[in-house]
Amino acid sequence: MASDTGSVADPGRNGLVRRLIASTDQVARVSGRRPDREFLRWISRGRLGHPAGWPQVPRLASPWQDTISGERPGWRQRAANDADDLDGDFAFAVDYRICRRCAGGWVENPYTREDLQRGGLAAAGLAALRAEHPGLTWHTLGGHFSDSQQFWAAAGAGVPGGYQQRKLCGHLSPS
């Protein structure tokens, strides 16, 4: 359980972060694909088959999960679960998109719960994605706040592509 102080010395916080970092290979997956809607979009050339409202991102009983993104159609979300806080925020989450043809990956909106920040959770989550998709260069779409510049510089150190700003390739639709 998280402490109110969120200090680095908080044993509950450190224990949770250590457990999640050690379990990045324990990922439950839900595709979220809807072949019926995909077919309808294809047959109507994009005029029909778009879902109404925001998709519901399920909460899976696993330390990590890989599901549809709740904010970006066509994107995936990798998230870390705090088993003691199933009704609250994810401990960590990031949206991502992969193009095998261009050997590129994009990540957006990395989020770490405030009381768990600066413990290595985001670094572990991003490293797990890179390990699962080897040989890709990694980017963001950009438009980041100035206070996130240090995060992206640190996260991109030694990473092919360095999480530098780049538009999605032509193989991927923006939505």
Side-chain angles (χ1 to χ4, degrees):
M1 184 150 67
S3 164
D4 291 338
T5 64
S7 71
V8 174
D10 176 16
R13 170 202 185 271
N14 288 339
L16 173 61
V17 169
R18 278 195 308 274
R19 282 192 308 276
L20 288 172
I21 288 173
S23 64
T24 56
D25 61 336
Q26 298 174 29
V27 183
R29 300 172 196 282
V30 174
S31 78
R33 291 190 65 213
R34 295 284 310 268
D36 55 339
R37 286 190 178 163
E38 291 173 18
F39 177 74
L40 192 54
R41 274 196 299 273
W42 177 76
I43 200 79
S44 69
R45 296 191 174 139
R47 291 187 305 270
L48 302 172
H50 295 282
W54 293 99
Q56 293 296 317
V57 177
R59 187 76 175 251
L60 306 177
S62 175
W64 290 83
Q65 66 179 53
D66 195 289
T67 62
I68 59 171
S69 166
E71 295 183 17
R72 289 184 166 77
W75 288 63
R76 304 285 301 160
Q77 181 186 69
R78 178 64 56 95
N81 290 312
D82 178 352
D84 294 332
D85 186 18
L86 291 178
D87 294 328
D89 291 335
F90 290 113
F92 167 77
V94 66
D95 289 346
Y96 73 96
R97 191 89 191 259
I98 303 295
C99 178
R100 298 262 178 235
R101 290 162 77 185
C102 290
W106 287 260
V107 294
E108 279 295 303
N109 283 1
Y111 163 81
T112 304
R113 209 172 64 200
E114 189 172 351
D115 62 317
L116 303 175
Q117 291 177 359
R118 292 173 188 71
L121 197 51
L126 292 171
L129 270 178
R130 292 192 309 270
E132 196 173 300
H133 303 282
L136 302 183
T137 58
W138 289 89
H139 308 279
T140 70
L141 295 178
H144 304 294
F145 295 113
S146 60
D147 60 347
S148 68
Q149 299 294 337
Q150 280 186 309
F151 169 81
W152 286 112
V159 174
Y163 295 116
Q164 295 296 310
Q165 182 177 354
R166 180 178 164 198
K167 290 182 186 178
L168 282 178
C169 70
H171 304 119
L172 302 175
S173 65
S175 62

